[in-house]
Amino acid sequence: MRRGFMRRAGWGFAFFFGIVFAASSLALSVVSGAFGVERDKRLVLPTALLGLALLALVAFVVLRTWRRTVRPMADVMDAAERLSAGDYSSRVRERGPGEMRRLARSFNQMAERLEAGESQRRGLFADLAHELRTPLSVIRGNAEGMLEGVYPSDREHLQPIVEEADLMARLLEDLRTLSTAEAGALQLHRETVEVGRVVEDAVQVFRGAAEAGGVRLETRVARDLPPLEADQFRLAQVMSNVLSNAVRHAPRGGRVRVEAGTAEGVVTIDVDDDGPGIPVEQLPHVFDRFAKSDGSGGMGLGLAIAKAVVEAHDGTIEARSEAGGGTTIRIRLPVELLET
């Protein structure tokens, strides 16, 4: 495509040169007639040189324009052809006039986004296949064992099938929620929500698991928390995901503290644990899909969903941690935005 484009551009400029040459010859004839060259032969040479200089100047300008515009455009067309064929690493060298440089820069940015999206898509499929492999193995193993008469069809062997099927259903529902939120299509059923009640209810749900693990749950909720127009179910989902991580990582004899307050029109919820903390190299990725630390358990979608839901409420969520110093998850919900 690039070669054909260059050939057509070359023929176009050749045609243009022909027109310029014909126009220059005509102008030379007119000038010669106006000055009476037929009666004065001494003006022929200067006039001819003037016409050739004019032709050379036009040729220089046209060639310069061709090199600065047509070649960069051909580069973009060639890169676009490679990109459409699946080469997401295709890039264009920024050169030529300002307009062509902006075009090349925009193309490169588009190609980078497409390459990142394709990488995420492949990673998602690989992670999903990995997460589904274990429950599918359990389901198939127990089902085949019962069909072949190795296992009896009793509760002991049917219960794992139901549990693993529920695990797969939760995984698929979490992925649906996450993909919908990231596409900006997550529907929020807004209502007046008492944030303190949401926090206390979530803590109550995990109190049994915390006591079983020897973890102390502490709660401190400010009395002046303003009500928010938010999706109560989704906020409870965020609290559940964050608390689940905190309780799981807190050591026996440790504690998890939940604080909710308000400042400058922003409701803040801090979930702090005294677990081993998050390594520095993993901290930027804690909200990524399937991001898990060694031995953390779970599917690695909880914090990714929490981030997507909080951002759908125009809020922010961040993680602070030091290796060996525990972890704090801070959620900020702007009151002004949520009340509109």
Side-chain angles (χ1 to χ4, degrees), residues 7-318:
R7 187 184 300 113
R8 288 192 297 273
W11 280 111
F13 280 113
F15 178 72
F16 179 75
F17 277 136
I19 294 177
V20 171
F21 182 76
S24 300
S25 300
L26 179 61
L28 180 61
S29 300
V30 171
V31 171
S32 298
F35 280 92
V37 175
E38 293 180 356
R39 294 188 301 270
D40 191 352
K41 302 295 184 182
R42 290 175 298 174
L43 293 177
V44 173
L45 183 59
T47 304
L49 292 176
L50 178 62
L52 290 174
L54 177 63
L55 179 61
L57 178 62
V58 171
F60 173 77
V61 172
V62 171
L63 282 173
R64 182 176 176 80
T65 303
W66 180 78
R67 294 186 61 183
R68 288 174 55 84
T69 304
V70 176
R71 286 186 176 179
M73 179 63 73
D75 291 343
V76 174
M77 294 177 67
D78 187 43
E81 186 176 18
R82 295 197 306 272
L83 186 65
S84 66
D87 181 9
Y88 294 101
S89 63
S90 178
R91 299 293 185 271
V92 180
R93 182 163 64 93
E94 296 181 19
R95 61 173 178 168
E99 293 79 4
M100 295 307 304
R101 290 178 179 272
R102 285 196 295 272
L103 176 62
R105 192 177 304 116
S106 299
F107 178 89
N108 291 338
Q109 292 172 351
M110 177 191 69
E112 288 174 3
R113 288 194 295 270
L114 288 174
E115 186 176 24
E118 177 65 13
S119 177
Q120 290 178 354
R121 184 186 67 84
R122 292 178 179 176
L124 174 61
F125 285 146
D127 291 334
L128 181 59
H130 175 75
E131 293 295 334
L132 290 176
R133 186 177 296 114
T134 299
L136 282 174
S137 298
V138 173
I139 291 173
R140 180 169 183 170
N142 281 27
E144 288 180 346
M146 285 185 288
L147 286 173
E148 295 173 359
V150 178
Y151 301 146
S153 300
D154 55 11
R155 183 179 184 86
E156 179 184 356
H157 294 91
L158 288 172
Q159 188 64 33
I161 294 179
V162 175
E163 291 176 353
E164 296 301 326
D166 287 342
L167 178 64
M168 292 172 60
R170 289 198 302 271
L171 172 61
L172 294 176
E173 177 60 24
D174 286 347
L175 283 173
R176 187 191 68 82
T177 300
L178 190 58
S179 61
T180 302
E182 291 179 346
L186 182 65
Q187 294 184 353
L188 300 178
H189 302 285
R190 295 181 183 270
E191 57 183 327
T192 302
V193 176
E194 297 290 339
V195 181
R197 177 68 60 84
V198 174
V199 171
E200 290 172 353
D201 288 348
V203 169
Q204 191 62 33
V205 169
F206 282 91
R207 196 168 294 281
E211 291 176 355
V215 177
R216 187 174 69 258
L217 265 178
E218 302 174 355
T219 308
R220 190 167 74 181
V221 178
R223 295 182 178 181
D224 59 346
L225 285 180
L228 304 177
E229 292 298 316
D231 189 321
Q232 182 166 339
F233 170 77
R234 293 299 183 186
L235 289 185
Q237 185 181 24
V238 170
M239 289 303 305
S240 176
N241 291 349
V242 174
L243 273 171
S244 175
N245 264 13
V247 171
R248 186 165 57 244
H249 287 93
R252 179 170 291 275
R255 61 113 182 99
V256 172
R257 183 174 56 198
V258 182
E259 294 186 6
T262 181
E264 300 179 356
V266 176
V267 172
T268 61
I269 304 172
D270 288 348
V271 179
D272 177 73
D273 69 71
D274 55 2
I278 303 172
V280 176
E281 65 274 9
Q282 294 181 8
L283 191 58
H285 306 289
V286 294
F287 296 107
D288 293 349
R289 293 172 174 173
F290 299 105
K292 297 191 296 183
S293 58
D294 295 337
S296 64
M299 293 178 289
L301 291 176
L303 290 182
I305 292 175
K307 181 176 185 291
V309 172
V310 169
E311 290 180 347
H313 283 85
D314 299 310
T316 61
I317 183 171
E318 62 177 343

